[in-house]
Structure formats: C-alpha cells, structure tokens
Amino acid sequence: MSTWLIDVHAVLARNLVKLRRSPEILAFSVLQPIVLVVLFTQVYGGAIHINGSTYTHYLMAGIFAMTTVFGSMVSGIYMATDLSDGIVHRFRTLPMAPSAVLMARTLSDMVVAAASLVVMLVTGFVVGWRYQAGFGNFVAGLLLLLGTAWCLSWIMTWLGLVVRSPQAVSNAGNVVLFPVAFVSNAFVPTETLPEWLRWFAEWNPISALVQGVRELFGNTGSIIVPEVWPLQHPVLATVLGWLVMLLVFPLLATRVFHRTM
C-alpha cells in the first residue's frame, strides 16, 4: 500500500504540473459557472417564477450540479490526451502500479472541480444567493458535490480509455450529459414538464443530487417535493449512486488500462 501511495503521489504531482502548464483548461472550467449563473439569474430569472422560493435560490443548486457533471469530462479528455501523447506507454517502463495512474488522474481533476466550485460560490453570493441551513449543512453540500465529481471522473476516465480521442470524449460526453442534465429539476420544477418527461426527471440521478444540495443549503423554501423515493431521500440516493459508480467503473477502467499497458 505504501508503494502504491508513492506511485499515486508521483503521478498526481506530474498531473498538477501539467495542469499548471495548461491554464486554458482551468480557465474555461471556471468561466463556465460564471456564464451560467449570470445568464440564468439575470436574463431568464425575471421570466421564471418558482412558488415558495426566489429563482436565484432555486437555481444555484442546479448550477452547482450542472458544473459538477460537465466538469467531469476533464478526466476523460486528459486521459485520452495522455494515450495519444504516448505518456501511458512510457509508464510501462517504470516499476509502478497501473492503477496508480488512474487514481492520480481522478484526484488531480478534483482540483479543477474545487476551483469551479469556489468560483460558483463567489458568483452566487454576488447575485444574491445565500445558504440558509447552517454552516455544517453547507459544508456537507459541498462534500456531496465533490464526492459526485470524483465518482463521475471514474466514468469519464473509463470513457477516455475506450474512445482514446479527446474530441470524441468531449462530443460523446455532451451528447449524453446535455439531455440528462436538462431533463431534471435543475432549472425548473419537474411538475412543469410534460407527463412523458416527468417520470424520467423525477428518477434522474442528477435531480436527486440537485435536491440534496438544495436541502443541505437550505434553499428549498416551501417548494413541494414530488412523492418519489430519490427526491424524498436525495442525499441517501446520491450516496447510493456513488457506491454503484465506484463498484463498476474503477474496475472497468483498470481492466481497459491493463489491456492498454
């Protein structure tokens, strides 16, 4: 275990140096939340009314979740880039654990997720958003977002290993994530959706994440929550989703990586 941790640390340091030398990745990752917050609160906020809450307080949990979900694509893009650059083949010559490369990849991308989260918090405070359920619940909400970001990074890392093209990872991620993210309770209540979409939105894991963050941040107001299990127990549903992702995708990614090595 100590040798494995040393390998993780070495590759993690390499990834952070690479991230420092590619500031455009970090810049675009932190600019996206600003654009989303300003666009929806200042442009569309006046036209959208939420019973029992202001739209800014309702929206921010959705923006937090959206940025977390889309930010996870960085893991797949970087993994595919490493494959195309040949660095993975160089790792073959080193006496190191292949799984350390994957763990370091997901951990280093948490830096991007944390930076985006900080920018969202500052932007939210500027436009009038506040957490209202105490500092402890506020920290728990941040941990819920970061934990989800880490679990999703394993899915994207596996996708980067399978697809092996940074552009293809980005395109595939957008095709899947855009409809899943928008058909949820991130921007509007699920009861406003057509009947054929409402069931999907209510059982959508992103809706559970958004609802969990709303509750922990105290931004639910008097909004009526649909009588479905994931939205009635959103934090537990999100954590169970973590377990499923961590049971499946690290193993899949490691197997593909071994074949690549």
Side-chain angles (χ1 to χ4, degrees):
M1 178 60 70
S2 61
T3 303
W4 183 80
L5 291 174
I6 292 172
D7 292 343
V8 171
H9 178 268
V11 183
L12 177 60
R14 173 257 176 191
N15 291 343
L16 293 178
V17 169
K18 184 177 181 180
L19 180 62
R20 187 183 64 187
R21 294 176 179 175
S22 304
E24 66 277 2
I25 298 292
L26 187 59
F28 284 119
S29 297
V30 300
L31 283 176
Q32 182 186 28
I34 298 177
V35 174
L36 288 175
V37 172
V38 174
L39 177 65
F40 279 92
T41 60
Q42 306 304 310
V43 178
Y44 301 126
I48 301 176
H49 300 281
I50 303 296
N51 293 328
S53 178
T54 65
Y55 187 63
T56 297
H57 281 85
Y58 181 88
L59 171 72
M60 285 305 300
I63 297 293
F64 284 127
M66 286 278 288
T67 304
T68 298
V69 170
F70 283 102
S72 65
M73 286 195 297
V74 171
S75 299
I77 292 172
Y78 267 130
M79 193 72 253
T81 301
D82 285 344
L83 284 172
S84 61
D85 288 347
I87 187 65
V88 171
H89 297 292
R90 294 190 179 187
F91 288 144
R92 294 180 61 186
T93 65
L94 301 176
M96 61 183 298
S99 60
V101 178
L102 302 179
M103 179 61 72
R105 174 75 276 151
T106 59
L107 291 178
S108 59
D109 293 333
M110 291 294 290
V111 175
V112 179
S116 299
L117 197 55
V118 171
V119 171
M120 280 189 293
L121 290 172
V122 174
T123 308
F125 277 110
V126 170
V127 299
W129 169 81
R130 298 292 184 271
Y131 65 88
Q132 300 169 317
F135 184 73
N137 284 332
F138 170 69
V139 172
L142 298 181
L143 293 177
L144 193 69
L145 290 165
L146 289 175
T148 302
W150 185 62
C151 294
L152 288 174
S153 69
W154 280 104
I155 299 179
M156 291 302 167
T157 296
W158 167 78
L159 182 63
L161 288 167
V162 172
V163 176
R164 300 193 177 196
S165 168
Q167 184 176 3
V169 171
S170 179
N171 292 338
N174 284 323
V175 167
V176 174
L177 293 178
F178 259 102
V180 173
F182 279 93
V183 184
S184 68
N185 62 352
F187 299 109
V188 294
T190 56
E191 60 264 23
T192 64
L193 299 176
E195 185 68 30
W196 64 278
L197 280 179
R198 190 179 306 164
W199 181 89
F200 177 83
E202 290 175 346
W203 288 89
N204 187 345
I206 294 179
S207 293
L209 173 63
V210 172
Q211 184 63 29
V213 173
R214 277 199 188 110
E215 291 184 1
L216 291 172
F217 287 171
N219 296 148
T220 55
S222 57
I223 300 172
I224 299 176
V225 180
E227 293 292 334
V228 293
W229 190 87
L231 297 184
Q232 290 291 325
H233 309 86
V235 176
L236 178 59
T238 301
V239 173
L240 290 177
W242 292 359
L243 296 178
V244 173
M245 287 185 282
L246 292 178
L247 285 173
V248 175
F249 287 98
L251 179 60
L252 290 178
T254 302
R255 287 183 175 179
V256 176
F257 193 78
H258 271 291
R259 291 200 297 269
T260 303
M261 297 287 282

